[in-house]
Amino acid sequence: MIVGIGSDLCDINRIQRSLDRFGDRFTHRIFTEGERAKSDRRATRAASYARRFAAKEACSKALGTGLRLGVFWRDMEVVNMPGGRPTMRLSGGALARLKTMIPAGMEPVIHVSLTDDPPMAQAFVIIEALPPAPPRQDQA
């Protein structure tokens, strides 16, 4: 069952201006160490940061809080699953909020879609509550 949906559109040029004007002060306030390492390696650095910025905004909307009620920027981190698919890793107030949204006996799954078409970046976040996966049986 879907328990939260959020979307956001971000101007890549606005992120570039923030990077130019505030540099590390901006990136360290908004992004985790892992996100900074990934974005700083990209040739399209501002677009990479803009996609992650949009994902954080979309996630805060899916949580139903926005960036308030104890949910902070670095509580939401865009990470990639082993196959490369993006998802969110939540901590702090964002994780606490997520736990209140998931019915007993269910597990949260966060779906993320990121894209950009300069000068815009876009993200969608869907939070789903699913029954726990059945235990895998060893195959002989």
Side-chain angles (χ1 to χ4, degrees):
M1 101 172 74
I2 293 174
V3 296
I5 298 174
S7 68
D8 192 65
L9 194 59
C10 180
D11 183 348
I12 297 169
N13 294 323
R14 182 176 141 227
I15 298 299
Q16 183 63 62
R17 287 191 300 273
S18 294
L19 291 168
D20 293 342
R21 183 169 180 193
F22 302 109
D24 286 349
R25 201 168 91 203
F26 169 67
T27 59
H28 283 72
R29 177 173 176 253
I30 306 293
F31 303 98
T32 66
E33 184 177 336
E35 289 171 318
R36 291 190 308 267
K38 190 152 192 133
S39 291
D40 287 342
R41 288 193 307 260
R42 302 273 190 221
T44 55
R45 182 174 181 246
S48 179
Y49 275 119
R51 286 189 302 271
R52 285 164 175 71
F53 188 93
K56 290 169 181 276
E57 286 276 7
C59 185
S60 73
K61 293 171 185 176
L63 290 169
T65 61
L67 289 158
R68 58 188 180 83
L69 302 175
V71 175
F72 299 101
W73 290 108
R74 289 184 314 236
D75 290 348
M76 300 168 285
E77 179 180 19
V78 178
V79 296
N80 294 92
M81 298 178 80
R85 184 175 58 161
T87 188
M88 301 295 292
R89 179 184 304 143
L90 304 185
S91 61
L95 180 59
R97 171 64 182 154
L98 176 66
K99 289 178 179 178
T100 68
M101 297 171 66
I102 305 301
M106 305 286 263
E107 294 181 358
V109 176
I110 302 176
H111 304 278
V112 177
S113 178
L114 304 173
T115 192
D116 67 78
D117 187 7
M120 303 305 286
Q122 184 175 34
F124 292 96
V125 173
I126 297 173
I127 301 173
E128 191 174 20
L130 296 175
R136 291 173 43 163
Q137 296 178 355
D138 293 321
Q139 296 178 356

